Every structure is written in C-alpha cells, then in structure tokens.
C-alpha cells in the first residue's frame, strides 16, 4: 500500500526537529561549565522569597482539619474502645479479650494522635481555640491511657469516651460539628 507523500513529509519534518532539538540540548560539558562558573561569580540578585502564611491563610481550613481529625479520633474511640468496653470484651475471661485489648491500645494511640492534631488545628481559629482551651489538659491525660487499656483498665475506656464527647461538644459550640469517622485499619496502624 503506498503511503501518501503528505504523511512522509510530516514524519520527516518531525524526525529532523527531534534530531535538531537533541543536538541543541547536548551543548557539551565545556559550555555548561562556563555557564555555571558565570552564575557562581555573578552577585546575588534579589529573588522573591516566600512569605510566611498569614493568619487568614492559617485559619482558612482550621475548622475543616479540626473536624476531620476529631472525627477520626471519635470514630476510632467508639469502634475499638467504647463498643468493646460496653460489650464486656475487656473483662477477664471474656472471649476475644486479648485481640480487643490490642485493638483498643492501637485505637487509643491513634485517637490521642488525632486529638493532638485537632487541638493544633483549633488554634488556627479563634472560636475553636477558645472552645478547646480547657480541654488541652484532658487530651494530654490520654497519653498514658493506651497502655492502661492494654493492661485491661476499664476506667481508661470511660476516660476516652468522656474526652471525645467533650471535644465533640466544644466543636459543636464553635460551629464545627464533629461526626464520627471510623478509620481504616491502615490508618489505624500508621497512627
């Protein structure tokens, strides 16, 4: 089958253009060394530097981030701490106790991490910052509770539930209602 001359002409033109571009780009080491030496010898020119974020930029997504982090903490707490606690899975002799305690310990560490992130996010919004200010000590007290959960301390589950409810109430009062979002197993493992 004969190929139209127009196609041959387009193909030949493209090949020549690619060869010419490749030759132009590989100017050799000598010229690139001269260029870098000239750039190094030239005085520094005022280049625009990135400015720090303004308070408006920091506040832009503070509520959204707070809601996401607090929602993940609430979901993990409810799914792997509160539900098994209410079902009696943490009591000695309960079937599946060891697995429930391991999951609760992981969920507790995850929830603590997300609550700390939510607290940092809340500092970007004045209303949220005021609402969550009294809860900082309560969130910090959760630091040791994952270890207590692993040891079978049932009061730790109640403490997690109380702090999560306080954070949800504070978010609601500041105009950022928190909805529980159960994290995936991979999110839980990452912390």
């Amino acid at each position: 089958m004969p190929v139209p001359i127009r196609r041959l002409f387009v193909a030949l033109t493209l090949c020549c253009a690619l060869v010419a571009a490749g030759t132009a780009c590989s100017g050799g080491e000598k010229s690139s060394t001269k260029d870098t030496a000239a750039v190094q010898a030239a005085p520094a020119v005022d280049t625009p530097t990135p400015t720090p974020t303004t308070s408006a930029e920091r506040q832009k997504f503070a509520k959204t981030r707070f809601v996401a982090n607090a929602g993940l903490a609430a979901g993990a707490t409810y799914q792997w701490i509160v539900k098994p606690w209410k079902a009696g899975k943490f009591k000695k002799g309960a079937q599946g106790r060891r697995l429930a305690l391991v999951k609760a310990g992981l969920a507790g560490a995850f929830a603590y991490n997300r609550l700390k992130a939510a607290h940092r996010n809340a500092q970007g919004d004045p209303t949220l910052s005021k609402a969550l200010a009294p809860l900082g000590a309560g969130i910090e007290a959760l630091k040791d509770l994952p270890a207590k959960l692993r040891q079978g301390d049932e009061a730790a589950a109640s403490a997690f539930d109380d702090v999560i409810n306080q954070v949800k109430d504070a978010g609601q009062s500041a105009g950022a209602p928190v909805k529980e979002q159960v994290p995936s197993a991979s999110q839980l493992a990452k912390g």
Side-chain angles (χ1 to χ4, degrees):
M1 214 186 242
V3 179
I5 295 215
R6 202 174 357 180
R7 282 189 190 170
L8 286 174
F9 181 72
V10 170
L12 182 61
T13 305
L14 285 175
C15 288
C16 290
L18 288 173
V19 169
T23 306
C25 288
S26 65
E29 278 187 43
K30 292 180 183 177
S31 64
S32 67
T33 322
K34 290 178 185 175
D35 291 342
T36 56
V39 170
Q40 291 173 354
V45 179
D46 289 335
T47 57
T49 57
T51 59
T53 57
T54 64
S55 61
E57 289 173 344
R58 278 193 306 256
Q59 293 174 7
K60 189 173 184 179
F61 295 111
K63 281 187 179 181
T64 306
R65 290 178 184 152
F66 166 79
V67 168
N69 284 320
L72 285 170
T77 300
Y78 181 73
Q79 182 71 28
W80 289 295
I81 297 175
V82 175
K83 274 175 60 175
W85 170 56
K86 288 182 178 179
K89 294 275 187 175
F90 297 150
K91 293 182 180 179
K92 290 190 179 191
Q95 186 170 356
R97 178 178 186 257
R98 184 175 293 166
L99 182 61
L101 287 174
V102 169
K103 286 180 182 179
L106 283 172
F110 177 82
Y112 172 73
N113 185 351
R114 293 297 88 209
L115 284 174
K116 290 293 285 184
H119 193 263
R120 281 191 308 273
N121 296 139
Q123 292 172 350
D125 183 70
T127 310
L128 272 174
S129 181
K130 289 176 186 175
L132 281 179
L135 299 177
I139 292 171
E140 194 60 37
L142 295 178
K143 184 185 234 179
D144 299 329
L145 291 182
K148 290 181 180 180
L149 281 171
R150 284 187 216 111
Q151 295 170 355
D153 185 2
E154 291 186 28
S158 175
F160 262 107
D161 193 31
D162 292 343
V163 170
I164 291 292
N165 288 331
Q166 290 172 355
V167 169
K168 288 167 86 175
D169 292 343
Q172 182 71 31
S173 70
V178 176
K179 295 180 183 175
E180 293 177 0
Q181 301 173 18
V182 179
S184 67
S186 63
Q187 286 177 319
L188 192 65
K190 288 179 185 177

